[in-house]
Amino acid sequence: MSFYDELKFNDDGLIPAIVQEQSTRRVLMMAWMNRASIEKTIETGKTHFWSRSRKKFWMKGETSGHLQTVKDIAFDCDGDTLLIQVEQIGAACHEGYKSCFFRSVDPSQTARVTEARLENPDEIYGKK
Amino acid sequence: MSFYDELKFNDDGLIPAIVQEQSTRRVLMMAWMNRASIEKTIETGKTHFWSRSRKKFWMKGETSGHLQTVKDIAFDCDGDTLLIQVEQIGAACHEGYKSCFFRSVDPSQTARVTEARLENPDEIYGKK
């Protein structure tokens, strides 16, 4: 049986994909895939997602060069979430941090930045 | 500013929460929270979620005893996903595996179980 038959896509045909850096086990980001973007990810070995806001495919790193090479694709017991192990080039976050999860909640319930910025977003994506 | 103001809940008032075991960095599960379940999680130090199918709160481990003690709550650049570090008692997965992500896609695009079952679900939840 193809693993696709064990996946459950939501009403929009999407499934959330958690991306983890295999070497450090740092969780880098979460984004959405549809069946075609999973197929493209497997075919090319680079992560491809579906942008819900822009309604289009995107390959992670297509602008920044911060590609993700896929090492493993796992899925959960309910078949409604993917966990993808990758080798990450540069910063995964468009704000220049290694991980998109660069803020934590501190005891006063405000946000605290927990890691150093690796890169200047203006230099990656151009000034807006 | 409260971190709640930086979060984006979906149209159903929910936000996905990735749960990671802090000591091993294994991603254990993904489930959904609403604002009240985040508040309960912070207040009690144990993860509480919102069940979309049962339309009720649940505390992870309320039946199985497999509680998750919260060590850190992070959120991503878009404010639409949480990443929670926990100390996990026993198996996180209701099927008796440490992680819900116990299957990976193999080269023939079928699913392969990648970890040993820790516990017998019938003994945790009772036979169905």
Side-chain angles (χ1 to χ4, degrees):
Chain A
M1 184 166 71
S2 162
F3 80 98
Y4 289 108
D5 299 326
E6 305 196 47
L7 298 185
K8 282 182 213 138
F9 296 88
N10 71 11
D11 291 345
D12 297 319
L14 300 175
I15 187 168
I18 303 164
V19 181
Q20 185 173 29
E21 186 175 55
Q22 191 177 47
S23 61
T24 62
R25 309 195 104 183
R26 181 90 172 102
V27 175
L28 299 175
M29 56 183 278
M30 204 277 273
W32 295 79
M33 290 186 166
N34 56 15
R35 174 153 179 159
S37 64
I38 299 174
E39 288 170 350
K40 194 80 177 165
T41 295
I42 290 176
E43 183 193 320
T44 61
K46 307 291 176 194
T47 51
H48 286 71
F49 302 96
W50 176 257
S51 167
R52 294 176 301 166
S53 54
R54 290 176 290 150
K55 301 200 187 307
K56 64 184 280 268
F57 285 104
W58 58 287
M59 181 177 77
K60 175 66 193 167
E62 64 189 8
T63 306
S64 62
H66 295 166
L67 298 166
Q68 294 173 337
T69 301
V70 176
K71 297 297 180 179
D72 185 75
I73 300 175
F75 56 98
D76 71 351
C77 49
D78 296 327
D80 62 4
T81 308
L82 301 173
L83 173 61
I84 302 182
Q85 303 294 330
V86 302
E87 197 177 284
Q88 171 72 53
I89 296 178
C93 182
H94 72 289
E95 295 198 24
Y97 296 91
K98 180 74 182 191
S99 165
C100 293
F101 296 95
F102 60 85
R103 290 173 296 177
S104 285
V105 179
D106 77 4
S108 66
Q109 300 201 6
T110 56
R112 178 175 46 87
V113 172
T114 56
E115 62 183 72
R117 197 168 233 156
L118 287 184
E119 312 193 36
N120 179 344
D122 288 344
E123 287 171 12
I124 307 171
Y125 300 96
K127 280 189 189 291
K128 283 175 186 163
Chain B
M1 184 166 71
S2 162
F3 80 99
Y4 289 109
D5 300 325
E6 306 196 47
L7 299 185
K8 283 182 213 139
F9 295 88
N10 70 11
D11 292 345
D12 298 320
L14 300 175
I15 187 168
I18 303 164
V19 181
Q20 184 173 29
E21 186 175 55
Q22 191 177 47
S23 61
T24 62
R25 308 196 106 184
R26 181 89 172 102
V27 175
L28 299 174
M29 56 184 279
M30 203 277 274
W32 294 79
M33 291 186 165
N34 56 15
R35 174 153 179 159
S37 64
I38 299 175
E39 288 170 351
K40 194 81 176 163
T41 295
I42 291 175
E43 183 191 318
T44 62
K46 308 291 176 193
T47 52
H48 286 71
F49 302 96
W50 177 257
S51 168
R52 294 176 300 166
S53 53
R54 291 177 289 149
K55 300 199 186 309
K56 65 186 279 270
F57 284 104
W58 58 288
M59 182 178 75
K60 175 68 193 166
E62 64 190 7
T63 306
S64 62
H66 295 168
L67 298 166
Q68 294 173 337
T69 301
V70 175
K71 298 297 180 180
D72 185 75
I73 300 175
F75 56 99
D76 70 353
C77 48
D78 296 327
D80 62 4
T81 308
L82 301 173
L83 173 61
I84 303 182
Q85 303 294 330
V86 302
E87 196 177 284
Q88 171 72 53
I89 296 178
C93 182
H94 73 290
E95 294 198 24
Y97 295 91
K98 181 74 183 192
S99 164
C100 293
F101 297 94
F102 60 85
R103 291 173 296 177
S104 284
V105 178
D106 77 4
S108 65
Q109 300 202 6
T110 57
R112 177 175 47 86
V113 172
T114 57
E115 61 183 71
R117 197 167 231 156
L118 286 185
E119 312 194 38
N120 179 345
D122 288 345
E123 288 171 13
I124 307 171
Y125 300 96
K127 278 188 191 292
K128 285 178 186 161

